[in-house]
Amino acid sequence: MENNRLAIITGASSGIGLACAEKFAEGGWNLLLTARRSDRLKLIAIKLEKAFKITVHIQEMDVRERESGAQLAHYITRNHLNPHLLINNAGLAVGIEPIHEGLTDDWERMIDTNIKGLLYVTRSITPLMTAQGFGHIINIGSIAGKETYPGGNVYCATKYAVDGLTKAMRMDLVPYGIKVTQVAPGAVETEFSSVRFKGDQTRATKVYQGFTPLSPADVADAVWYCASLPAHVNVNDLVIMPTAQASATIIHRKME
Ligand code: NDP
Ligand code: 8X3
């Protein structure tokens, strides 16, 4: 049954964001789900409302649009909602070319989504949290924000930015009792690689061959843990990896 707490999840139409929606719905939270593919959000909302007797709001949104955050905040205030948790999850990698062959369109998609999009949403939701005197922001970073790897250049830079912004946001928001957490996963099998390789399923599938990657639900469990701690306890940074992955570049694969 619903517990009157509201989680806002960006990028909830797929992968980690969708798994978080399912996990928090199961825990009785009401949800505000956002993504560009609203057709998917509609189906997810119907399913979760029916299964868990919660309220699921949806907002079609491209986080790259400067007004997206403000529109989201407007929806929240218009509907008299109190955001307890913001999961800044929407993000992507596009391409894996070395720096001297990189495509500037790809770079802009990553910078606009992973950094600027996260900032637009955060800038709009944090005043609601400071005004209400509580809140929690969980940024989905990456192992790519801790270590670089060949061809990772701009994607890694965006996730290093998420790492830095998480620390900076915590400093700015600590006087208001608002928690700020980063969950930084290694390899998770989602649509991520399909997007990175621009629909090339053969290349995407190879990323996860020969080992057991994290599932989106594994990451959602970690996010849930961070959100479930007592008011005086905060996880600053949680790096979660498949057991077979020792670093961004070292994955122990058993090939047949
Ligand atoms: P998916 O591709 O499965 O999901 C990405 C989500 O982001 C989708 O819901 C997509 O929705 C949304 N999204 C992308 N661009 C935009 C945009 N411009 N505006 C709004 N929503 C957008 O990948 P993951 O679940 O793997 O990725 C989620 C996060 O996890 C990302 O930040 C990624 O960097 C991070 N991550 C992923 C890892 C992995 O190995 N998979 C590891 C570490 C971190 P839609 O297309 O409908 O807009
Ligand atoms: C996604 C993980 O290693 O492909 O952030 O960059 S990685």
Side-chain angles (χ1 to χ4, degrees):
M1 290 298 275
E2 76 175 65
N3 62 21
N4 287 325
R5 283 194 286 176
L6 178 76
I8 305 165
I9 306 175
T10 68
S13 61
S14 163
I16 294 168
L18 172 56
C20 287
E22 291 168 344
K23 184 76 190 175
F24 281 79
E26 193 185 343
W29 285 58
N30 295 319
L31 301 171
L32 171 46
L33 307 180
T34 79
R36 292 166 301 179
R37 288 172 289 181
S38 58
D39 50 336
R40 283 195 183 195
L41 293 180
K42 280 178 198 151
L43 295 176
I44 293 163
I46 291 167
K47 191 178 133 201
L48 295 181
E49 284 191 333
K50 192 169 172 212
F52 300 110
K53 312 277 180 266
I54 55 163
T55 304
V56 182
H57 305 263
I58 58 169
Q59 283 288 288
E60 180 178 329
M61 191 170 107
D62 185 335
V63 294
R64 292 172 297 178
E65 286 169 17
R66 193 192 282 244
E67 291 308 312
S68 61
Q71 284 163 5
L72 187 62
H74 185 59
Y75 178 88
I76 290 166
T77 47
R78 209 175 57 232
N79 288 282
H80 310 289
L81 303 174
N82 291 111
H84 291 75
L85 174 64
L86 165 63
I87 305 177
N88 274 320
N89 165 76
L92 77 181
V94 198
I96 193 148
E97 284 75 21
I99 198 77
H100 57 289
E101 294 172 2
L103 304 176
T104 49
D105 279 353
D106 293 349
W107 294 355
E108 278 174 20
R109 273 181 73 191
M110 290 186 276
I111 291 166
D112 289 354
T113 309
N114 302 357
I115 305 178
K116 290 165 70 179
L118 180 145
L119 284 171
Y120 295 152
V121 173
T122 302
R123 176 65 185 86
S124 298
I125 301 305
T126 45
L128 305 179
M129 289 183 170
T130 56
Q132 71 192 9
F134 59 86
H136 190 175
I137 300 168
I138 301 183
N139 292 330
I140 304 300
S142 172
I143 187 63
K146 305 285 182 185
E147 314 166 42
T148 53
Y149 53 86
N153 45 65
V154 175
Y155 177 66
C156 293
T158 67
K159 289 299 181 179
Y160 271 77
V162 173
D163 191 63
L165 281 168
T166 304
K167 291 174 190 151
M169 284 161 57
R170 195 158 45 240
M171 291 173 184
D172 292 342
L173 296 171
V174 73
Y176 303 94
I178 295 170
K179 299 185 185 192
V180 184
T181 298
Q182 174 174 246
V183 173
V188 192
E189 189 163 10
T190 63
E191 295 177 12
F192 177 85
S193 291
S194 173
V195 172
R196 168 167 249 171
F197 296 119
K198 301 174 183 173
D200 183 339
Q201 280 310 124
T202 311
R203 284 185 84 186
T205 305
K206 276 191 184 146
V207 173
Y208 309 108
Q209 266 175 2
F211 76 108
T212 306
L214 294 173
S215 69
D218 294 327
V219 182
D221 286 348
V223 172
W224 173 259
Y225 171 75
C226 295
S228 304
L229 291 166
H232 69 288
V233 184
N234 184 50
V235 174
N236 286 358
D237 199 8
L238 192 157
V239 180
I240 175 170
M241 305 281 279
T243 305
Q245 183 175 15
S247 73
T249 50
I250 300 173
I251 296 181
H252 182 65
R253 295 176 197 265
K254 289 183 184 153
M255 300 307 237
E256 289 175 10

